[in-house]
């Protein structure tokens, strides 16, 4: 603490990202990254851009990328906002749509950045408990005072809420913005983007960090009614004119243009997820039915914390949350088949199976 | 306006960046970009990084880049913060050090993003008039209530305030943070970074966009006492864990490692600036003695607004500010010698000289 710190700094409780580990040959299954590299066309596009004009500012409006993303969802660029990772897009959304004094709602077990944003911007919040099976209690999100934010699929539970449930929440908050954080949606059934033209209070946030293999490039986006997108643009243009650099703009655009590659790598991950889930069940785990690129699992006898520690010693990093209600679960990112075999091998050793 | 907009969105008055112009063969002298490409080592470093792991998150702490930048100024990484362009670093600084209810001070003629940040974060401000010759009225910044922010060299005036003046302002605000925004310092005499170990309330902000030719890459940084840097990190980690992508981290580090290239291109720009200033004076301009990569000039007979428009028609973009006190000045970025010859040629035609 320092006398120079603002009230805002003093009330922050910063987010702690998944640990980094620089050991060689580590199996890193703790931050839900994609194990496959991005489309080769991403690299080509960035190479082209690199030879152009790094000394010139990038486009402040990012029209081309917004148009490309919009096209995939049948939307115009006026319905698309892009930012420096979906974390920045979410931060701008808290600034644009939520209000000090008006409590927002999000699931009690959810992305742990939401309370961090809320504290930063002094927005009160209500954490809505999940059902015992970790599914959403949909009606509990109706008629919020200040708005709703929830991930679908939820993290770290991996559970997907059917579109009719999402729609019910949007419909029952007609005067508040409902943000659906779809970081993992490409591994699930269907995006809520199809509801955007029907509801003017729905903002759908996605990222290129997971399904597009671009965590290292920092490109997230939001889709919604043009009035919502305009609010995000006003915040961004009062904060930082150029949030996406030239390489990020070019790379993300190329990623969206290679739909075949995207489909193939996404399907590979889904197939691995299904195989790993079955194996974990055979090993005595309760595995939630995942629609994400990770699974959330609890063992019938071994404690999650001790498994996490033993796996770490063996060079396998998974995510453990020391939080009531989920403190006997591990969140395990789906890697390549080879990585998952090493993980399962270590697990079997630890469990003596 | 929309019923979904927060109070914060409603009070924004977004910044308008210098215009983009997609005409071929334009001479773009309006956004103070560097006319020379970055060091070839930047491209090499980014190529190496690109082949590594774009699918993995970048370092959230950016230790390597912070260490490299610190080394140049005799500082440790605990005294250096990096962000997505100096605009983001400035935004975080407003959040970290300035307070609603406590008026801050900045020069009346200055970087036009300051009032934009102030409105966004609801921070009151006093605009301190410049002297008639556009120099700072140093004492007017003493004993501020809420802190001080000023660019040195100032933009758009191009004038540099001697280090003793900066030190006097820092010394006479012992309980407030003084931010010196040194976007253009590498074209001037000396940075205030040398004062950081002497004053715990001094934050020096710089960018790689100008002297390092990396406007397209979005890397800015701040230097100051570790307690100030910690405040910025707390804000950043409550906002976006990973603000710099892998290529930006690698590219900016390489730019700082090639000091010879940096010196050479900076000196070229300074030499061109001196030649262009002399030529403009011969053409009847009053040119302020610039210590930046641009000049600020007013013609004895021709109006700045009409010159701006005629130059634009002729394919030369300069910056014109329709603001009382400076509305008869043009801000002209220093380009290559060839670009400046074309600019001067067009100017001569317009002035019939």
């Amino acid at each position: 603490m320092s006398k120079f710190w603002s009230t805002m700094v003093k009330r922050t409780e910063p987010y702690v990202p998944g640990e980094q580990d620089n050991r060689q040959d580590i199996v890193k299954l703790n931050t839900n990254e994609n194990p496959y590299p991005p489309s080769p066309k991403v690299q080509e596009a960035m190479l082209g851009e690199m030879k152009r004009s790094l000394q010139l500012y990038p486009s402040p409006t990012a029209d081309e990328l917004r148009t490309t993303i919009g096209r995939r969802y049948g939307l115009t660029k006026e319905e698309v906002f892009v930012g420096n990772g979906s974390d920045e897009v979410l931060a701008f959304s808290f600034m644009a749509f939520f209000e000090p004094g008006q409590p927002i709602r999000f699931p009690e077990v959810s992305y742990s950045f939401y309370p961090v944003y809320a504290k930063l911007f002094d927005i009160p919040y209500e954490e809505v408990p999940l059902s015992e099976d970790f599914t959403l209690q949909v009606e509990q999100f109706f008629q919020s005072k200040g708005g709703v934010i929830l991930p679908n699929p939820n993290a770290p539970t991996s559970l997907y809420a059917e579109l009719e449930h999402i729609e019910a929440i949007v419909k029952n908050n007609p005067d508040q913005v409902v943000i659906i954080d779809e970081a993992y949606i490409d591994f699930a059934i269907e995006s809520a983007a199809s509801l955007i033209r029907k509801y003017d209070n729905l903002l759908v946030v996605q990222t290129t960090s997971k399904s597009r293999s671009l965590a290292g490039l920092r490109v997230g986006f939001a889709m919604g009614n043009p009035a919502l997108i305009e609010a995000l643009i006003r915040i961004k243009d009062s904060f930082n004119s150029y949030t996406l650099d030239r390489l990020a703009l070019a790379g993300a655009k190329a990623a969206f243009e290679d739909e075949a590659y995207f489909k193939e790598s996404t399907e590979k991950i889904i197939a691995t997820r299904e195989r790993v889930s079955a194996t974990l069940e055979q090993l005595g785990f309760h595995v939630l039915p995942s629609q994400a690129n990770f699974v959330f699992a609890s063992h019938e006898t071994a404690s999650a914390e001790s498994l996490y520690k033993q796996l770490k010693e063996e060079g396998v990093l998974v995510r453990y949350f020391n939080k009531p209600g989920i403190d006997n679960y591990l969140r395990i990112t789906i890697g390549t088949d080879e990585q998952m075999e090493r993980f399962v091998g270590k697990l079997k050793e630890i469990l003596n199976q």
Side-chain angles (χ1 to χ4, degrees), chain A:
Chain A
M1 193 80 71
S2 144
K3 68 172 173 179
F4 299 117
W5 288 14
S6 68
T7 313
M8 193 187 256
V9 179
K10 285 178 194 153
R11 70 173 178 245
T12 55
E13 292 182 20
Y15 179 76
V16 180
E19 65 197 310
Q20 306 287 328
D21 192 315
N22 290 322
R23 282 180 286 174
Q24 283 286 319
D25 202 34
I26 199 98
V27 181
K28 192 166 177 297
L29 307 176
N30 70 328
T31 47
N32 295 346
E33 289 143 331
N34 198 309
Y36 302 108
S39 155
K41 290 183 180 154
V42 169
Q43 211 172 103
E44 265 171 54
M46 292 200 297
L47 279 174
E49 189 61 37
M50 207 183 280
K51 282 173 195 142
R52 256 170 248 137
S53 305
L54 277 177
Q55 70 269 33
L56 300 184
Y57 283 104
S59 162
T61 50
D63 289 338
E64 281 188 47
L65 178 57
R66 289 163 62 207
T67 303
T68 302
I69 292 174
R71 200 174 292 137
R72 182 167 194 270
Y73 289 97
L75 300 170
T76 66
K77 76 175 163 58
E78 286 72 24
E79 295 166 303
V80 180
F81 175 83
V82 292
N84 182 29
S86 64
D87 281 347
E88 184 186 76
V89 175
L90 292 171
F92 286 159
S93 301
F94 269 69
M95 296 164 86
F97 308 120
F98 297 158
E99 195 78 62
Q102 303 287 328
I104 61 166
R105 288 186 201 153
F106 49 78
E108 193 179 6
V109 172
S110 187
Y111 185 30
S112 44
F113 219 129
Y114 301 154
V116 173
Y117 294 129
K119 274 165 198 150
L120 181 69
F121 296 116
D122 209 16
I123 291 156
Y125 58 89
E126 299 161 359
E127 297 182 284
V128 179
L130 298 177
S131 309
E132 231 168 87
D133 62 358
F134 292 113
T135 55
L136 291 182
Q137 301 200 52
V138 174
E139 289 79 11
Q140 304 277 322
F141 293 93
F142 292 180
Q143 269 79 46
S144 77
K145 280 235 173 54
V148 170
I149 181 164
L150 56 89
N152 194 33
N154 197 4
T157 67
S158 79
L159 295 184
Y160 170 78
E162 299 289 335
L163 207 54
E164 61 193 294
H165 294 314
I166 298 297
E167 182 165 5
I169 293 171
V170 175
K171 198 186 242 171
N172 285 285
N173 282 281
D175 297 320
Q176 304 301 334
V177 174
V178 175
I179 301 174
I180 307 299
D181 178 359
E182 296 189 336
Y184 303 102
I185 197 68
D186 293 323
F187 307 102
I189 295 169
E190 152 179 44
S191 167
S194 58
L195 301 175
I196 282 171
R197 294 250 167 109
K198 202 167 162 192
Y199 297 98
D200 61 359
N201 63 326
L202 169 63
L203 192 80
V204 175
V205 175
Q206 293 191 9
T207 176
T208 63
S209 294
K210 315 296 183 185
S211 57
R212 307 273 171 184
S213 301
L214 290 178
L217 207 58
R218 319 303 308 123
V219 183
F221 56 100
M223 299 177 285
N225 186 282
L228 301 188
I229 300 305
E230 192 191 336
L232 290 170
I233 292 172
R234 287 183 72 95
I235 294 286
K236 176 228 157 216
D237 284 340
S238 298
F239 192 90
N240 185 359
S241 306
Y242 314 93
T243 53
L244 288 177
D245 67 53
R246 287 178 165 269
L247 299 170
L249 287 171
K253 182 163 170 276
F256 271 92
E257 284 165 353
D258 195 350
E259 188 74 13
Y261 183 92
F262 161 77
K263 255 191 101 173
E264 193 194 320
S265 69
T266 309
E267 280 167 10
K268 258 196 294 195
I269 289 167
I270 292 174
T272 307
R273 175 185 78 199
E274 298 307 308
R275 269 197 303 276
V276 170
S277 297
T279 307
L280 287 171
E281 281 172 355
Q282 284 160 16
L283 291 173
F285 280 91
H286 169 59
V287 185
L288 299 194
S290 171
Q291 291 270 307
N293 70 337
F294 59 88
V295 293
F296 201 54
S298 174
H299 194 261
E300 54 193 10
T301 55
S303 95
E305 188 172 10
S306 115
L307 286 175
Y308 157 73
K309 285 181 180 160
Q310 290 176 80
L311 282 166
K312 189 174 168 181
E313 269 168 36
E314 296 291 327
V316 179
L317 272 187
V318 299
R319 191 97 189 241
Y320 170 71
F321 299 89
N322 191 1
K323 184 180 165 161
I326 57 170
D327 57 1
N328 206 25
Y329 278 81
L330 296 176
R331 194 193 71 182
I332 303 143
T333 304
I334 301 301
T336 60
D337 286 328
E338 195 203 334
Q339 288 177 311
M340 299 321 282
E341 264 167 46
R342 277 187 58 196
F343 158 70
V344 168
K346 295 295 180 192
L347 205 53
K348 282 182 177 166
E349 286 174 27
I350 293 165
L351 296 168
N352 291 316
Q353 284 190 321

